Amino acid sequence: MNRSIALAGLFGLSVCAMSGLAFAQSPIACALIGEKEALALVGGPLGEIAKGEQKPTPENAHDHSTLCGFFPKGYDFRKTDRPPERGLQLQLHAMRNNADAKNFHENTVGMVEEMAKAPRTPFARGKIATKIATLSGMGATAKMEVETIEFEPKSVYHVATVYFLKGNVSGVVAVWEKGAPADETARVAAKQVIAKLP
């Protein structure tokens, strides 16, 4: 299974560190971006909303992880062999402090960069091209991964994922588009989210 399809599951299972008081004040993904904003960014129709939350515990290194995704009605990552034709997903990891968030962000980006160098196992016979770039003006630091997945000449999917850090929050914004680049949409979405974080 390709990393872009598994993104929801991969980051949905990871968690961040926070105290009880900080947890009560943690930013929540679905409070920072809604379906109306997703429609304005990626177009429609959408209608399938994915939500998830893992509360901080000593076992998960006190990671408060929240997820909010918007996809075409009926789309399910677990039951398909292709990316969505359009979609947007936000994952937030609110940590106990800025240092923990920075470590989490650096580990995540390091893993992404290593995976980009490794041989890829694409979806059913798809060809994958990946590039990673540093972004400026996006929180403390940000990187963007852009993937192009080609199944046939007229079936090309674009996935742009922004990994950002602001204060005690490490976040991920992923955008999927069929037949059109997704990088500018991901950049705009990430900027909107980052502007709402304390």
Side-chain angles (χ1 to χ4, degrees), residues 106-185:
E106 289 174 349
N107 288 336
T108 300
V109 169
M111 178 186 70
V112 168
E113 290 174 334
E114 285 303 310
M115 289 177 72
K117 297 174 191 173
R120 305 298 296 275
T121 305
F123 303 101
R125 299 180 306 275
K127 298 177 188 175
I128 300 174
T130 303
K131 61 182 179 178
I132 298 175
T134 300
L135 301 176
S136 59
M138 308 273 286
T141 184
K143 292 241 181 177
M144 178 186 286
E145 177 187 34
V146 177
E147 291 182 301
T148 303
I149 308 163
E150 182 178 350
F151 294 97
E152 301 94 27
K154 293 186 179 181
S155 184
V156 180
Y157 293 79
H158 302 269
V159 185
T161 308
V162 176
Y163 302 87
F164 65 86
L165 174 67
K166 185 176 181 185
N168 72 322
V169 176
S170 176
V172 181
V173 172
V175 172
W176 292 262
E177 292 281 0
K178 182 178 180 185
D183 49 337
E184 187 55 31
T185 303

Side-chain angles (χ1 to χ4, degrees), residues 11-86:
F11 287 103
L13 295 175
S14 55
V15 281
C16 301
M18 296 192 62
S19 67
L21 177 61
F23 168 65
Q25 300 171 354
S26 293
I28 304 296
C30 285
L32 297 184
I33 196 156
E35 186 172 18
K36 184 177 177 182
E37 292 166 300
L39 275 166
L41 288 161
V42 300
L46 295 173
E48 192 69 44
I49 301 174
K51 296 181 182 181
E53 179 174 16
Q54 282 195 304
K55 296 181 180 180
T57 67
E59 292 75 26
N60 69 17
H62 303 281
D63 179 355
H64 184 202
S65 174
T66 59
L67 171 82
C68 198
F70 304 92
F71 305 97
K73 188 72 176 168
Y75 185 82
D76 186 339
F77 277 102
R78 299 164 297 180
K79 298 178 182 177
T80 185
D81 63 352
R82 294 203 177 189
E85 292 190 0
R86 76 191 72 72

Side-chain angles (χ1 to χ4, degrees), residues 84-104:
E85 292 190 0
R86 76 191 72 72
L88 184 148
Q89 181 172 282
L90 170 63
Q91 175 101 33
L92 298 177
H93 295 274
M95 312 299 285
R96 284 183 294 193
N97 54 54
N98 294 6
D100 286 353
K102 182 180 179 187
N103 287 336
F104 185 90

